[in-house]
Amino acid sequence: MTRLITCLDEPESYERVQVRITSVRTWDVRFPTSRELDGSDAMNPDPDYSAAYVELRTDSDDQLTGCGFVFTIGRGNDVEVAAIEALAPMILGQDVDALLGDMGTTWRWLVHDSQLRWLGPEKGVMHMAIGAVINAMWDLKAKRSGLPLWQLLAQMTPEEIVDLVDLRYLTDALTRDEALAILRAGVDGREQRQRALLTEGYPAYTTTPGWLGYDDAKLERLCREAVSDGFTQIKLKVGANLDDDIRRLQIARDTVGPNIAIAVDANQRWDVEEAVRWVAKLSRFDLAWVEEPTSPDDILGHAEIARRIHPVPVATGEHVANRVIFKQMLQAGALSVLQIDASRVAGVNENIAILLLAAKFGVPVCPHAGGVGLCEAVQHLSMFDYVAVSGSLSGRRIEYVDHLHEHFITPIQLRGGRFQAPLAAGAGMEMFEGSLSRFSYPNGAGWSGVPT
């Protein structure tokens, strides 16, 4: 389904003095990935990778658009689209230069709206919808600058970067002065790190072999291919059946050998005690980390699990609702690997806040990217983090899944198990018009004859 929301026509006598946002176009885009069980895990056995997609158009002569989305896995994608459309009256007619020229103020204007805020605050469907719009604005800003988003962010001054961030609720863990100190320390070496990134790329790990619905033969084949493709870490979904997990991990370890890291992901399946017992049975496979062992809202539960399964690290974050929960997880020692998501929180600005928190606590960031377009989007945040925030690749990898990249105008480029730094202007979230049309739900041609 596609919807177009536009400004009223201008009278002929109107003399344009500013570039304005003239339309907000949305799509409910879904891909039938459940047919091959791509993306399947212990809590989500039949996902259809989906995007509540938004395009912002302006009356500028350059005809550039800003594109963003919220990732979902099927049912409810229409609800997310409706949330994005609810923002359209606030955005239409706005001065583009004013919005993009002060993205910190723009973020606060949308997130702190007194009526919208009641629906969260700062969590859930509306917060994610704001993130899609904010990301679309960053896409437009990067296109207008002629730079990829990671490079646009990395060339900002420490003061400009901190001005993007809302430090409310964070100052007991991260003050403005501390954030500035982190960024100022990263100024030295920025150019060298940027050159290294452009030459060598950014490390990746792959979840492609590990979907829970794949049979053993497919698991073994994909593990072998992952090693051949240069990946030094893979990830397997676990949590539905312990005996199956042990068997599958044994196949994976036998296939990849002792020098390839294997992480596991329970997708929130367990209670605390169950997580501790289950991980104890799997730890003999030398786990790189255990991901989402319990509810993403259970800060103290994660902390207890982390304490009791040490030295196996806990990784989490793809379902963490906002920067405040991340702050508390870091304060409580509830995670050792922080996993940002490009479309879970309110866009680029909030993810910068989370990157700064991770740098303050010395915790590596390994983004979640298991979904349509998430690899394309989140690579910009990791690359910005390396160049301008943490200054480090130690313990850091971006998740890679081999699905649906062909639908994006600037798909990720992978070589030797490493993301190659994107060079095209924008944030990487723009899809082909034909893909939007073909997989528009429920009437697109890609859904013809597909059971719903």
Side-chain angles (χ1 to χ4, degrees):
M1 182 178 69
T2 306
R3 285 198 60 193
L4 177 65
I5 305 171
T6 64
C7 292
L8 296 174
D9 291 338
E10 299 172 358
E12 291 184 6
S13 60
Y14 178 82
E15 182 178 350
R16 185 186 303 163
V17 294
Q18 60 189 20
V19 176
R20 301 185 306 151
I21 292 179
T22 55
S23 74
V24 178
R25 193 177 182 190
T26 60
W27 286 263
D28 180 346
V29 186
R30 309 188 196 186
F31 298 90
T33 50
S34 59
R35 288 186 289 183
E36 302 296 330
L37 299 179
D38 298 335
S40 54
D41 59 56
M43 294 292 276
N44 308 289
D46 57 350
D48 285 324
Y49 277 3
S50 304
Y53 186 89
V54 60
E55 178 191 74
L56 306 180
R57 287 187 176 271
T58 76
D59 54 6
S60 172
D61 292 338
D62 59 24
Q63 298 185 320
L64 296 174
T65 61
C67 302
F69 60 78
V70 175
F71 168 66
T72 78
I73 60 169
R75 283 185 291 275
N77 201 52
D78 51 337
V79 176
E80 196 63 68
V81 170
I84 295 171
E85 290 171 354
L87 296 168
M90 297 179 66
I91 301 164
L92 287 170
Q94 292 290 333
D95 181 337
V96 172
D97 291 324
L99 290 176
L100 303 186
D102 188 352
M103 284 295 291
T105 296
T106 298
W107 190 92
R108 292 174 179 87
W109 167 60
L110 288 172
V111 173
H112 292 172
D113 179 87
S114 62
Q115 295 182 10
L116 291 175
R117 184 175 172 81
W118 186 259
L119 298 176
E122 298 189 38
K123 65 176 72 70
V125 169
M126 188 53 68
H127 198 58
M128 295 163 71
I130 291 170
V133 171
I134 290 291
N135 285 341
M137 290 181 184
W138 276 107
D139 181 55
L140 180 58
K141 183 178 176 73
K143 287 172 179 173
R144 294 178 98 202
S145 75
L147 295 171
L149 177 62
W150 69 267
Q151 204 166 41
L152 171 65
L153 294 171
Q155 72 176 16
M156 290 181 172
T157 68
E159 291 77 13
E160 288 171 333
I161 294 169
V162 172
D163 285 344
L164 298 173
V165 172
D166 185 0
L167 289 167
R168 185 189 299 190
Y169 313 132
L170 302 185
T171 54
D172 57 320
L174 179 72
T175 66
R176 179 179 176 86
D177 285 346
E178 288 172 326
L180 284 171
I182 290 167
L183 293 164
R184 287 168 179 163
V187 171
D188 288 341
R190 267 196 198 184
E191 293 302 318
Q192 296 94 314
R193 289 191 294 275
Q194 179 168 286
R195 287 195 295 271
L197 181 63
L198 290 167
T199 303
E200 302 166 11
Y202 195 104
Y205 77 90
T206 181
T207 307
T208 297
W211 303 119
L212 206 57
Y214 290 175
D215 61 33
D216 291 353
K218 188 171 185 177
L219 166 64
E220 182 178 353
R221 174 175 61 81
L222 292 174
C223 284
R224 191 177 302 110
E225 291 176 2
V227 176
S228 177
D229 289 339
F231 291 101
T232 57
Q233 179 173 312
I234 64 171
K235 186 171 77 180
L236 271 62
K237 300 293 184 172
V238 298
N241 180 281
L242 179 57
D243 290 338
D244 287 346
D245 289 347
I246 292 171
R247 185 190 74 256
R248 294 172 67 251
L249 275 164
Q250 189 66 64
I251 292 169
R253 180 53 76 198
D254 289 345
T255 303
V256 304
N259 298 321
I260 300 296
I262 301 178
V264 297
D265 184 356
N267 288 96
Q268 316 160 32
R269 179 70 182 222
W270 302 316
D271 287 336
V272 171
E273 293 297 328
E274 187 178 20
V276 172
R277 291 195 302 269
W278 207 295
V279 174
K281 298 291 186 181
L282 303 183
S283 60
R284 70 177 189 257
F285 295 104
D286 190 21
L287 303 179
W289 69 62
V290 56
E291 185 171 327
E292 284 200 307
T294 193
S295 166
D297 296 330
D298 191 354
I299 298 163
L300 297 182
H302 273 89
E304 179 70 4
I305 292 167
R307 182 182 67 81
R308 293 173 61 185
I309 69 171
H310 182 79
V312 177
V314 168
T316 197
E318 70 183 82
H319 283 89
V320 171
N322 54 50
R323 67 202 186 284
V324 182
I325 298 177
F326 274 114
K327 177 197 75 170
Q328 294 178 71
M329 286 188 144
L330 290 163
Q331 289 172 319
L335 56 81
S336 299
V337 178
L338 190 151
Q339 296 175 307
I340 58 171
D341 184 283
S343 75
R344 172 64 57 176
V345 299
V348 170
N349 299 57
E350 190 164 19
N351 267 315
I352 292 174
I354 296 163
L355 291 172
L356 286 165
L357 282 166
K360 163 70 184 296
F361 282 85
V363 170
V365 175
C366 295
H368 167 249
V372 57
L374 294 182
C375 289
E376 279 73 15
V378 84
Q379 63 178 335
H380 289 272
L381 298 172
S382 280
M383 293 175 185
F384 159 68
D385 175 65
Y386 169 52
V387 173
V389 184
S390 70
S392 174
L393 294 178
S394 177
R396 290 163 167 82
R397 292 177 170 91
I398 304 171
E399 183 176 23
Y400 170 74
V401 295
D402 188 20
H403 307 302
L404 307 175
H405 303 293
E406 67 273 16
H407 300 290
F408 287 84
I409 289 177
T410 55
I412 62 111
Q413 300 295 318
L414 205 73
R415 187 164 64 244
R418 299 174 78 92
F419 281 78
Q420 302 305 296
L423 302 178
M429 303 178 89
E430 185 173 359
M431 296 177 68
F432 286 107
E433 184 83 18
S435 295
L436 294 170
S437 175
R438 178 171 176 77
F439 291 97
S440 180
Y441 186 84
N443 298 317
W447 284 96
S448 299
V450 177
T452 60

